[in-house]
């Protein structure tokens, strides 16, 4: 399994911590998913101390923590949030989100590259939420990123992988870079498909947190990413336009 900034994950599933019906269900969902990474937002930290209680709960999960800059729209805002997150969560990891479009929550890739360069130079280990654009991916790597996190579809949409051609091309273009499909996953089949394409991990939140039974969905996602990983490792057959008999014709008896 590929390492992320030198850290090998026991499981290729990364799970968000927002929108769950209760903290207890969140903890149960993480246990069922066996996720190795929890994404967290600094915005949960509040003056009333609720943020500290949330952080203590996350610590008890025993997983790697990936703070994010969710909701940031400018380089200054994202960089400032990253600094506060590093101090509060005590990790150099940061999921860099820089939103450019209000409705689709599509990343502002121009500001994303700028912020990634600043944070990388300051010692952050940046996980950039980006599009599947190959040029943007190259610019992010040049900026110091060692991981790319292209979206599958808009955040929370549950549409799956909107552009499998582009995602497959990104995997081929950056064979040695850890790639994570981030956002848009709605079903276990979507997660399995991402892993079948050769991606190294899947990051999702809404599909589990907003499901009728988050714990059961978390268990389903765990099985899906493992099935997809194994399928890719097994070197699956290529699709064909014509049928190919599984039973050989040679040696078959002919009746006159």
């Amino acid at each position: 399994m590929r390492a992320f900034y030198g850290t090998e994950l026991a499981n290729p599933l990364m799970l968000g911590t927002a929108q769950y019906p209760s903290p207890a269900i969140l903890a149960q969902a993480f246990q069922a998913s066996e996720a190795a990474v929890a994404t967290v937002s600094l915005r949960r930290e509040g003056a009333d101390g609720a943020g500290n209680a949330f952080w203590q709960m996350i610590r008890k999960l025993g997983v790697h923590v990936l703070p994010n800059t969710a909701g940031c729209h400018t380089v200054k805002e994202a960089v400032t949030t990253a600094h506060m997150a590093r101090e509060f969560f005590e990790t150099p990891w940061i999921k860099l989100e820089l939103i450019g479009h209000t409705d689709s929550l599509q990343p502002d890739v121009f500001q994303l590259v700028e912020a990634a360069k600043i944070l990388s130079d300051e010692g952050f280990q940046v996980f950039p939420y980006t599009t599947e654009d190959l040029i943007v991916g190259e610019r992010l790597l040049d900026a110091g990123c060692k991981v790319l996190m292209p979206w599958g579809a808009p955040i929370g949409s549950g549409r799956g992988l909107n552009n499998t051609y582009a995602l497959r091309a990104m995997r081929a273009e950056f064979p040695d870079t850890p790639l994570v499909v981030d956002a848009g996953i709605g079903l276990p089949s979507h997660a399995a498909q991402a892993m079948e394409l050769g991606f190294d991990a899947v990051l999702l939140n809404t599909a589990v947190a907003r499901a009728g039974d988050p714990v059961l969905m978390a268990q389903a996602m765990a099985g899906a990413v493992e099935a997809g990983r194994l399928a890719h490792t097994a070197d699956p057959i290529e699709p064909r336009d014509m049928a190919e008999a599984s039973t050989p014709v040679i040696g078959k008896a002919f009746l006159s």
Side-chain angles (χ1 to χ4, degrees):
M1 193 170 294
R2 207 183 300 265
F4 295 83
Y5 289 102
T7 298
E8 291 189 4
L9 304 180
N11 189 295
L13 182 60
M14 302 179 178
L15 194 57
T17 56
Q19 301 182 320
Y20 289 83
S22 70
I25 291 178
L26 186 157
Q28 292 170 27
F30 262 86
Q31 184 177 15
S33 73
E34 301 181 353
V37 174
T39 60
V40 295
S41 173
L42 185 69
R43 295 172 186 269
R44 285 184 175 273
E45 168 63 2
D48 59 0
N52 282 315
F54 170 78
W55 177 218
Q56 293 305 317
M57 180 190 65
I58 296 300
R59 282 177 183 262
K60 292 179 181 178
L61 295 176
V63 299
H64 297 279
V65 175
L66 178 59
N68 63 40
T69 61
C72 292
H73 293 264
T74 67
V75 171
K76 182 179 180 180
E77 187 179 9
V79 170
T80 300
T81 301
H83 276 276
M84 292 189 293
R86 180 165 63 178
E87 181 177 347
F88 184 75
F89 294 111
E90 301 175 328
T91 176
W93 281 15
I94 190 73
K95 178 188 171 186
L96 182 59
E97 293 185 36
L98 241 166
I99 302 303
H101 191 266
T102 303
D103 293 333
S104 68
L105 301 182
Q106 179 170 332
D108 182 333
V109 296
F110 303 100
Q111 293 196 91
L112 182 68
V113 172
E114 182 181 348
K117 179 67 165 65
I118 293 171
L119 293 174
S120 294
D121 288 347
E122 293 179 347
F124 284 89
Q125 296 174 345
V126 181
F127 292 67
Y129 166 60
T130 183
T131 65
E132 63 274 74
D133 187 286
L134 299 181
I135 305 304
V136 175
E138 190 66 49
R139 296 292 183 271
L140 287 167
L141 295 179
D142 290 343
C145 298
K146 306 296 184 184
V147 177
L148 295 176
M149 303 179 72
W151 65 347
I155 295 172
S157 67
R159 294 182 58 86
L161 309 186
N162 275 351
N163 194 340
T164 55
Y165 169 81
L167 290 172
R168 187 179 289 108
M170 178 169 270
R171 177 70 284 174
E173 182 71 15
F174 306 114
D176 300 320
T177 300
L179 299 181
V180 183
V181 169
D182 177 14
I185 299 296
L187 294 170
S189 57
H190 301 155
Q193 184 182 21
M195 298 301 294
E196 288 168 4
L197 289 176
F199 279 73
D200 301 292
V202 171
L203 195 160
L204 56 93
N205 187 165
T206 307
V208 168
R210 299 292 295 274
D213 187 332
V215 178
L216 191 60
M217 184 59 77
Q219 185 178 357
M221 290 295 183
V225 295
E226 178 62 10
R229 184 187 68 80
L230 289 174
H232 177 73
T233 304
D235 190 16
I237 63 172
E238 293 292 331
R240 294 171 55 90
D241 293 329
M242 300 295 291
E244 181 179 359
S246 57
T247 301
V249 176
I250 298 176
K252 179 181 177 181
F254 289 92
L255 300 178
S256 57

